[in-house]
Amino acid sequence: MDTLKCTECQNEPTEEELYSQLDDLLIEYSQKPGALIPVLQITQRLFGYLPENALKVISKKLSIPYSEVTGVVSFYSFFSTQPRGKFMIRVCLGTACYVRGGKDVLNALKKELNVDVGMTTDDRLFSLDVGRCFGACGLAPVIMVNDDVHQRVKSDRISEILAEYKQNPALKEVV
Amino acid sequence: MINLTVNGIEIQVSDGTTILQAAAKVGVNIPTLCHIPGKDPKGACRVCLVEVKNARSLVASCAMPVAEGMKVFTSTKKVRDARKMVVELMLSEHDGDCKTCERNNDCELQEIARNLGVEDIRFNGQKAKHIFDASTPALIRDNGKCIKCRRCVTVCNEMQNVGALFPQGRGFDSVIGPAFELNLDTVACVQCGQCAAVCPVGAIYEKSHIEHVWNAIDNPDKYVVVQTAPAIRAALGECFGYEAGTLVTGKMVTALKQIGFDKVFDTNFTADLTIMEEGTEFLVRLKDKLINNSDVSLPQFTSCSPGWINYVEYFYPEMLSNVSSCKSPQQMFGALAKSYFAKKQGVDPKDIIVVSVMPCTAKKFEAERPEMNSSGYQDVDYVLTTRELARMINQAGIEFTTLTDSEMDNPMGVSSGAADIFANTGGVMEAAVRTVYEIVTGSELPTENLHLEPLMGLDGIKTASLLVNGTKPEWSFLEGVELKVAVVHGLGNTAQLIKRIKDGEVFHFVEVMTCPGGCIGGGGQPRFTTNDVRAKRISAIYKEDEGKKLRKSHENPDIIELYSEFLEKPLSHLSHKLLHTKYSHKEVN
Ligand code: SF4
Ligand code: SF4
Ligand code: SF4
Ligand code: FES
C-alpha cells in the first residue's frame, strides 16, 4: 500500500495530503462490505488518531451514518479520537499500585498536565492514560512514559519526571 | 408445520415461528422490551425469558424459533424470578421518577415491573448517564431513563434509513444517541419521532406544547383556532380505551370546543386545497415537459410530510427541484387562518393563535421553520400530538366516551373524502388523481369507489399506471399518455424508490409519507402502533371517505368560495405567496 509511505518518512505530510490519501483509501474500500473497521484502522495509522473531520468523510463516502461510525469508534478501545501526544503516559492502577499511591500519582499528573484521562496536552507532547498492572507490582506505584518504566513514583516528583521529556523531546522519542 | 406445547396447550405453527409468536397465538402474553414486531429480534433486554423443557438455561423467546416437540413454560417460578431480576437490575440503573415522568401510566417498563410484582429495588446501583437533550424543536431525549433496548436504533436505521441514533461507547457507560453522545441537533435527524413512538419508556418523547396552548386559551386577548389533521380522528379514541380504528371525529370536535378553542377547524380543508394547488402544479409540469419540451423536473414528489422534506434536504439535495412547491396542509392552514379567515372574521391576525393537532412530531419542527410565516406572523403557533391532545382532554376533566358529536366550524371546516385519505399511505395520490383526472377528461375517475386499488395497503413501495383517454381539447397533449405513479412510506422505502428512479425507472408523480402506514402511523400517535393497528386505522379512514357525499377536492364548496373570494385561482400570485415555498440543501455542522 504505497499511499501510506509518507507516514514513515521524515517530512510529516500536511493535513491536505493526509485527506487526499484518505480519499484514495475510501475509493478503494467503498465497494467492499465490512470496510468500516479496516478503514478506521488505516485512518488512525495515517493521522495518528481519528479526527472528527476524517470520520465525517468516512461516513459520507462509505454511506454509513455518522452516529454509527462514532459508535463503532467508541466501542473499541484501540480507536482514539484524541490526537496522541509524543509521549504516552500510562499510570498503573492495578491493585498494588492503587494501594500504594497510584491514584495520587494520577491526580498529580492530571493537575500538572491539565488534562483528563484519555486526553492530550495542547502542545501535543503528553497523552494521559491508565493501565491495569504492568507486571512490576514490587516497585509500585509504576508509570510508563512510552517504553520507559518509572518505579516508586512519588506524586510530588512528577514535575521532575516530566521535565526530562520536555527538555529533549526529540532525543527521548527515539529511545 | 411444527407441533409444540405452550403451558400445556398444544399448538401447531409454521417453521421459523418464534416462541413469542407461538405463545401469542394461544393467548399467552410474554413481556418484551426490545422486540419490535416484524423486525429481527435483538435479544437485548432479556425480559422475554421462558423455560423450555430439557434446555440448559432459560431462553429469550423473541429470538428462539420453535422446534418439534418443544415444551415451553412461560410463567414458572424460575421464569418469574429471572424476569424480575432483569427488571430490578434495569430499575437500579434507572434515573427516573414515575410520578413526574412523561410516560407515567403509559410505560412498558413500569407495567412489566408492576406485573412481575417488583415492590422495591433491592439493588441501588450507579445511575445511567444523564443526558437531557432538548436541542431540537420536536423531541426530548432523557438518557437517564434509557434502558438501552435499542428499538429507536432499529427504527431510525432500518426503517427510516437516517441513522441519527446508535449506541455510543460500550458497557454500562454506553449511551444510545447521536454521534459522540452529542445532542440530536448535531446530526441529520429528520424529526419524524418514530423513535419516540417505539421507545418503551420516557427516554424519547415529543416536546410538549400543552402549557403554551392552555396559556393562549386563558388569554382573553387571543383568538385561538385549532385545526386537526386527518389522521387524528382514527386514532385519538385509542387513548380512551376504544378499539384501534374507531372513528371519533364528532367527539373530538366536542372535546376541542369544551377545552375552549374559539374555532374548531379542519386540516382536511387545506388538504383539499393542497390537491388543487399540487394537482395544478403537476399538470403545469407535464405541460412544460410534453408541449414546451422544457427542462422541468419529473417525477413530482409530494411535499406534505415534513420528515420527508428534512430527509430530502439532508440526503438528496439534487432532488429538491422534484419536490412540489406546495406547503403542507398544516402550513397552508396557518397562512390562511391569519389572512383569509382573519379578514372574514374581522380579527387582527396578530391576535390569532393557530394550534394544530397532528399525528406527527416533525410538524412541530415544520411550524418553526423560517419559511413558514407568509402571513406576516408565524403561521402555526403550536403543535400538539394526538397523545398531547388526549392529555389535555384528561386535564380538562372531560369524560371523552360520554361526549356527543359536534360539527367543525366554518369557513375552514368542510372537507371532501379525498382529504380524509391524506391520513394514509396512497391517499394523497388517490386524492390527486381523482381531481387531476377529472380536470383533464371532464369525467369522473372510472375506478371502483374512486379508489386506486394498487396504491392501497401496507406494501412499502406501490406503483400504478393510468392510461389517459378522452381528454378535453386543452389537455389533448395528454391523450393516450400512460401516467405512472408511485407511493412510498417509510424513508427506507423512499431511499429504495429514489434509487430505482436514478437507475432510470420512469414515474410522473410520487407520494412520499415519512412514517410507515402514512400519518396514521405517525410519531405522535397513541402507542403502540403495529401493522395490525395501522391497517385498522386505515380502514377507518377509508370508511370516513366512502361515507361522505363529497369525495373530490375540487367539489368542496368552501374551497370554491376561497378561490372566488380570495385566492382567485390555483397558482395565483396570492397562492404563491401564502401556499408555496422553496426548500434548500441542509447540512449538519
Ligand atoms: S420511564 Fe417508566 S419507569 Fe421510568 S420513570 Fe418514567 S414511567 Fe417510571
Ligand atoms: S426523529 Fe426520526 S430521524 Fe430523528 S432520531 Fe428519531 S427516528 Fe431517527
Ligand atoms: S431511547 Fe428508548 S428506545 Fe432507545 S434504547 Fe433507550 S429506551 Fe430503548
Ligand atoms: S424482547 Fe426478547 S430479549 Fe428483549
Side-chain angles (χ1 to χ4, degrees):
Chain A
M1 195 161 299
D2 53 5
T3 48
L4 296 182
K5 245 188 305 192
C6 279
T7 51
E8 314 296 339
C9 71
Q10 283 312 92
N11 298 329
E12 286 193 20
T14 64
E15 214 174 73
E16 218 172 297
E17 284 163 357
L18 288 173
Y19 276 100
S20 90
Q21 290 181 34
L22 177 59
D23 281 343
D24 295 344
L25 178 73
L26 288 167
I27 290 166
E28 187 188 328
Y29 273 87
S30 65
Q31 301 306 329
K32 296 187 188 169
L36 182 58
I37 289 182
V39 164
L40 288 170
Q41 282 170 323
I42 300 170
T43 309
Q44 175 150 311
R45 246 182 285 144
L46 265 168
F47 288 82
Y49 72 111
L50 292 169
E52 275 184 39
N53 277 332
L55 295 180
K56 282 182 186 155
V57 173
I58 292 171
S59 151
K60 234 191 206 124
K61 293 277 167 66
L62 296 185
S63 300
I64 297 173
Y66 186 50
S67 301
E68 182 172 342
V69 172
T70 67
V72 169
V73 167
S74 58
F75 186 85
Y76 294 104
S77 54
F78 50 80
F79 289 131
S80 168
T81 53
Q82 289 291 321
R84 273 175 58 136
K86 280 214 156 61
F87 303 109
M88 172 56 89
I89 305 179
R90 291 194 301 142
V91 181
C92 178
L93 290 183
T95 317
C97 286
Y98 192 90
V99 284
R100 283 158 82 178
K103 191 89 184 168
D104 297 333
V105 171
L106 179 64
N107 285 336
L109 275 163
K110 282 190 195 170
K111 214 167 139 201
E112 185 75 26
L113 298 171
N114 194 23
V115 293
D116 242 328
V117 172
M119 289 173 43
T120 299
T121 54
D122 288 340
D123 59 11
R124 297 246 187 135
L125 216 46
F126 297 104
S127 294
L128 184 59
D129 211 344
V130 293
R132 300 245 175 259
C133 199
F134 303 154
C137 304
L139 308 165
V142 174
I143 70 171
M144 288 183 76
V145 181
N146 288 357
D147 293 334
D148 306 346
V149 181
H150 297 259
Q151 309 152 349
R152 296 214 170 93
V153 178
K154 294 212 166 55
S155 48
D156 52 8
R157 289 195 45 231
I158 288 296
S159 49
E160 283 170 44
I161 297 176
L162 294 181
E164 274 180 59
Y165 295 91
K166 281 185 193 158
Q167 267 159 23
N168 206 340
L171 181 77
K172 271 290 178 182
E173 201 187 6
V174 183
V175 176
Chain B
M1 293 304 262
I2 291 186
N3 298 288
L4 71 155
T5 67
V6 178
N7 299 342
I9 311 168
E10 287 177 18
I11 170 176
Q12 208 182 41
V13 294
S14 57
D15 206 357
T17 308
T18 61
I19 295 178
L20 180 69
Q21 290 164 331
K25 286 213 164 95
V26 288
V28 173
N29 283 329
I30 298 172
T32 56
L33 278 171
C34 66
H35 186 55
I36 304 178
K39 297 275 161 211
D40 289 344
K42 296 289 182 287
C45 75
R46 320 296 295 172
V47 298
C48 66
L49 292 173
V50 297
E51 199 171 338
V52 174
K53 195 169 177 197
N54 295 331
R56 259 177 302 142
S57 52
L58 299 180
V59 301
S61 60
C62 68
M64 177 65 84
V66 294
E68 186 59 38
M70 213 178 216
K71 291 189 167 52
V72 178
F73 301 93
T74 70
S75 191
T76 59
K77 178 165 169 43
K78 202 167 156 196
V79 167
R80 291 195 313 269
D81 286 351
R83 287 185 192 157
K84 201 164 162 183
M85 175 72 87
V86 166
V87 169
E88 282 182 72
L89 285 171
M90 270 178 203
L91 288 172
S92 75
E93 298 178 7
H94 195 70
D95 194 355
D97 177 358
C98 299
K99 295 186 290 297
T100 53
C101 180
E102 161 72 23
R103 295 297 293 271
N104 195 11
N105 287 330
D106 173 34
C107 172
E108 293 180 45
L109 177 61
Q110 192 187 47
E111 189 185 336
I112 289 174
R114 193 190 306 121
N115 289 346
L116 287 170
V118 176
E119 277 160 1
D120 68 342
I121 296 159
R122 282 177 295 166
F123 324 101
N124 208 347
Q126 198 187 338
K127 296 294 177 197
K129 243 191 235 176
H130 205 153
I131 300 172
F132 189 85
D133 171 6
S135 64
T136 59
L139 296 166
I140 304 276
R141 293 173 52 246
D142 183 353
N143 269 103
K145 291 175 187 157
C146 173
I147 57 169
K148 297 176 192 171
C149 71
R150 304 191 184 192
R151 278 188 191 168
C152 57
V153 176
T154 304
V155 295
C156 190
N157 286 269
E158 292 173 24
M159 196 186 240
Q160 298 299 55
N161 202 38
V162 171
L165 305 172
F166 203 80
Q168 308 292 317
R170 78 153 121 200
F172 178 81
D173 282 325
S174 68
V175 159
I176 309 296
F180 290 121
E181 304 181 15
L182 293 173
N183 281 347
L184 205 49
D185 65 348
T186 64
V187 292
C189 159
V190 304
Q191 301 275 281
C192 67
Q194 283 300 313
C195 50
V198 296
C199 182
V201 294
I204 311 187
Y205 51 94
E206 65 270 50
K207 199 180 258 183
S208 175
H209 288 181
I210 292 177
E211 273 317 299
H212 299 296
V213 174
W214 281 126
N215 288 340
I217 289 173
D218 288 338
N219 184 340
D221 299 331
K222 295 292 176 197
Y223 194 97
V224 190
V225 305
V226 64
Q227 57 167 325
T228 59
I232 312 299
R233 58 210 71 184
L236 179 65
E238 291 164 42
C239 299
F240 302 99
Y242 288 98
E243 173 68 8
T246 310
L247 282 172
V248 293
T249 322
K251 285 188 186 345
M252 173 183 76
V253 176
T254 308
L256 290 166
K257 291 190 171 168
Q258 289 190 4
I259 282 173
F261 289 103
D262 292 300
K263 288 279 187 233
V264 178
F265 287 142
D266 208 342
T267 315
N268 285 21
F269 173 75
T270 39
D272 277 333
L273 183 63
T274 301
I275 290 303
M276 300 306 293
E277 295 288 328
E278 193 161 347
T280 311
E281 179 188 355
F282 176 57
L283 288 172
V284 168
R285 283 191 199 225
L286 283 179
K287 196 169 189 171
D288 282 349
K289 185 85 173 189
L290 297 176
I291 291 196
N292 307 334
N293 226 341
S294 56
D295 188 27
V296 289
S297 300
L298 283 173
Q300 172 173 305
F301 285 87
T302 59
S303 58
C304 329
S305 184
W308 150 242
I309 298 295
N310 283 335
Y311 189 65
V312 81
E313 285 181 311
Y314 278 128
F315 298 100
Y316 296 99
E318 70 282 5
M319 308 290 284
L320 274 164
S321 61
N322 291 72
V323 176
S324 161
S325 64
C326 286
K327 289 182 186 171
S328 70
Q330 152 169 290
Q331 294 306 139
M332 288 194 183
F333 180 94
L336 286 177
K338 293 189 181 185
S339 56
Y340 171 66
F341 171 72
K343 209 161 123 197
K344 240 179 143 80
Q345 189 75 16
V347 189
D348 189 335
K350 82 169 187 341
D351 295 327
I352 295 183
I353 297 286
V354 175
V355 176
S356 318
V357 185
M358 294 285 141
C360 176
T361 55
K363 290 280 170 194
K364 289 177 188 269
F365 175 92
E366 183 184 52
E368 289 182 22
R369 290 186 71 113
E371 298 90 347
M372 301 302 171
N373 44 28
S374 46
S375 64
Y377 304 90
Q378 183 171 324
D379 294 331
V380 172
D381 296 277
Y382 306 118
V383 179
L384 301 168
T385 61
T386 315
R387 299 187 291 257
E388 285 175 275
L389 174 59
R391 184 165 299 177
M392 278 188 82
I393 291 171
N394 285 329
Q395 287 174 352
I398 295 168
E399 187 57 63
F400 190 80
T401 55
T402 65
L403 295 177
T404 52
D405 291 353
S406 310
E407 297 274 319
M408 303 266 184
D409 290 315
N410 283 323
M412 298 174 76
V414 173
S415 63
S416 72
D420 285 307
I421 58 177
F422 265 61
N424 52 263
T425 170
V428 174
M429 185 58 73
E430 184 176 310
V433 171
R434 285 183 195 174
T435 287
V436 166
Y437 188 88
E438 207 163 310
I439 291 178
V440 170
T441 65
S443 43
E444 190 168 80
L445 183 68
T447 58
E448 194 184 336
N449 240 337
L450 293 177
H451 291 317
L452 292 173
E453 196 67 38
L455 304 183
M456 297 168 90
L458 285 170
D459 286 348
I461 301 179
K462 295 167 283 186
T463 61
S465 66
L466 191 73
L467 194 63
V468 186
N469 265 328
T471 51
K472 295 208 262 186
E474 65 266 44
W475 302 104
S476 58
F477 67 93
L478 285 173
E479 185 66 36
V481 169
E482 194 183 4
L483 283 185
K484 295 196 168 158
V485 299
V487 167
V488 280
H489 54 126
L491 296 174
N493 295 326
T494 307
Q496 280 182 38
L497 182 77
I498 291 179
K499 186 167 183 304
R500 276 165 59 175
I501 291 170
K502 290 192 165 181
D503 288 346
E505 203 167 334
V506 172
F507 293 103
H508 299 98
F509 201 178
V510 177
E511 171 203 294
V512 182
M513 294 194 188
T514 306
C515 292
C519 312
I520 52 91
Q525 292 282 56
R527 300 181 180 97
F528 191 92
T529 304
T530 58
N531 265 349
D532 183 43
V533 171
R534 288 185 186 99
K536 285 182 178 157
R537 291 178 188 158
I538 291 175
S539 70
I541 294 287
Y542 281 121
K543 210 168 90 199
E544 184 95 330
D545 164 36
E546 288 162 10
K548 282 191 184 170
K549 266 215 185 69
L550 193 58
R551 301 281 307 279
K552 296 170 246 162
S553 300
H554 57 278
E555 289 176 355
N556 181 338
D558 289 2
I559 292 288
I560 296 170
E561 182 174 306
L562 170 68
Y563 278 115
S564 70
E565 275 185 18
F566 188 66
L567 291 173
E568 202 186 326
K569 60 177 201 288
L571 305 187
S572 70
H573 183 69
L574 194 53
S575 292
H576 265 295
K577 176 173 172 253
L578 292 172
L579 311 179
H580 292 256
T581 188
K582 206 171 164 271
Y583 297 110
S584 46
H585 183 196
K586 207 157 52 179
E587 262 181 304
V588 272
N589 308 319

